[in-house]
Amino acid sequence: MVLQASGVMSIPATVSVNNQPPASWTTHYNCSDVTSGYMSRLWSQDLHPQNWTKYQVWEWLQQTLDMHQIDATSIPFQNFDLDGRQLCNMSFQDFTRAAGSVGSILFQSLTDLKWNGITSISSADFPCSILPFKEESNFYNTSELFDFKSSFQPNTILSSPAPSSPDPRGTHLWEFIRDILLNPERNPGLIKWEDRSEGVFRFLKSEAVAQLWGKKKNNSSMTYEKLSRAMRYYYKREILERVDGRRLVYKFGRNARGWRESEK
DNA sequence: CTGCTCTTTCCTGTTT
DNA sequence: TAAACAGGAAAGAGCA
């Protein structure tokens, strides 16, 4: 039976859901690459859903939830411990049984993919592609990363926003990450909250964030690999907490300040 | 110069 | 298989 998940069912849902982020998102810096590059790789003819690996099924799942702005913790990912063939054999009822009301969205998405390739996934589904990038909105200026060449002014990046007050944003990595999260409208699609109240967040474009961090530190060779090492050091200091089993997902810890809505 | 913190870099091995 | 994750080790940056 396709819905017999092999995953462990006894772990708390918010922690144990083993959803996987799209690996390839981290390797592209602009929206067109994210959409066309990723979609073409995952959903091209030679990778029909039938032929997906379990990992690719999870990638699709995560993508679809993102596109519909659905909280990843709202469905039990262990019900989708399936490869593409098993997934394609699922009926509408199987989907609703596995994911409740979200099941119908997933079913629709998969059906479209099976028959129409990429039709239901337009670039307009991506927040980054619908957000105009305004010159005056420089915070951590990602215009270069997103190919908004005309608005990019190298010397204005990361400069203090208000001359009257010293830059309140810390220079530490975790503060940098936090401040991106707190200003999503100016940093579309880089990092997103998974659980706002719990301080759980996920990197959507890990390499782009690393580039941005490198830019701040005047280090053009920064990578997510290196950035993530620094992030792991935060576990011991309880600035971050581990989120097991979920790639690119972190959680603010007891010593992280300023991320809660109430203390903004 | 010293000591300290916070990364950065590199690496080997493991997991997904 | 590629991309992430885990940490050890050591070097570097910046600051007091």
Side-chain angles (χ1 to χ4, degrees), chain A residues 229-242 254-255:
Chain A
R229 181 68 189 93
M231 296 284 278
R232 290 194 292 275
Y233 274 123
Y234 286 142
Y235 293 144
K236 202 157 200 170
R237 297 166 58 198
E238 297 189 272
I239 288 169
L240 293 177
E241 289 177 28
R242 278 211 170 72
R254 60 163 74 219
N255 293 327

Side-chain angles (χ1 to χ4, degrees), chain A residues 112-133:
Chain A
D112 282 350
L113 285 168
K114 280 196 284 191
W115 301 110
N116 305 319
I118 195 173
T119 52
S120 70
I121 299 124
S122 70
S123 60
D125 289 319
F126 282 82
C128 58
S129 64
I130 57 175
L131 264 167
F133 221 87

Side-chain angles (χ1 to χ4, degrees), chain A residues 30 130 157 190:
Chain A
N30 65 49
I130 57 175
I157 313 166
L190 294 177

Side-chain angles (χ1 to χ4, degrees), chain A residues 57-235:
Chain A
V57 168
W58 287 30
E59 281 186 331
W60 160 77
L61 202 51
Q62 187 77 73
Q63 292 281 302
T64 307
L65 294 177
D66 282 346
M67 284 172 208
H68 291 85
Q69 315 270 303
I70 297 165
D71 191 331
T73 60
S74 64
I75 71 159
F77 270 62
Q78 65 267 29
N79 287 352
F80 290 89
D81 186 24
L82 316 159
D83 62 25
R85 189 184 53 78
Q86 293 171 306
L87 187 75
C88 289
N89 285 336
M90 285 173 70
S91 66
F92 181 81
Q93 281 85 352
D94 289 333
F95 270 97
T96 52
R97 217 172 295 143
S101 57
V102 178
S104 62
I105 294 170
L106 296 173
F107 180 78
Q108 182 62 52
S109 167
L110 185 69
T111 303
D112 282 350
L113 285 168
K114 280 196 284 191
W115 301 110
N116 305 319
I118 195 173
T119 52
S120 70
I121 299 124
S122 70
S123 60
D125 289 319
F126 282 82
C128 58
S129 64
I130 57 175
L131 264 167
F133 221 87
K134 296 201 176 85
E135 197 168 344
E136 66 271 22
S137 72
N138 281 351
F139 167 43
Y140 295 121
N141 192 328
T142 56
S143 58
E144 195 175 46
L145 300 171
F146 288 91
D147 284 338
F148 293 99
K149 297 190 179 75
S150 60
S151 66
F152 181 57
Q153 299 178 355
N155 292 329
T156 67
I157 313 166
L158 305 177
S159 59
S160 296
S164 57
S165 62
D167 188 350
R169 296 188 300 273
T171 54
H172 295 157
L173 174 58
W174 72 269
E175 294 168 309
F176 172 83
I177 299 297
R178 175 199 64 193
D179 294 343
I180 289 177
L181 276 162
L182 296 180
N183 294 269
E185 73 283 357
R186 296 178 182 178
N187 299 278
L190 294 177
I191 314 174
K192 67 170 274 194
W193 290 110
E194 289 275 291
D195 188 328
R196 182 69 179 81
S197 59
E198 290 295 310
V200 180
F201 59 92
R202 181 162 56 90
F203 283 81
L204 298 177
K205 301 193 185 105
S206 54
E207 289 301 339
V209 175
Q211 291 283 308
L212 211 52
W213 173 238
K215 184 164 281 185
K216 181 177 171 65
K217 299 290 290 289
N218 199 24
N219 175 357
S220 59
S221 63
M222 181 49 61
T223 62
Y224 177 72
E225 171 98 35
K226 291 185 276 195
L227 181 152
S228 65
R229 181 68 189 93
M231 296 284 278
R232 290 194 292 275
Y233 274 123
Y234 286 142
Y235 293 144

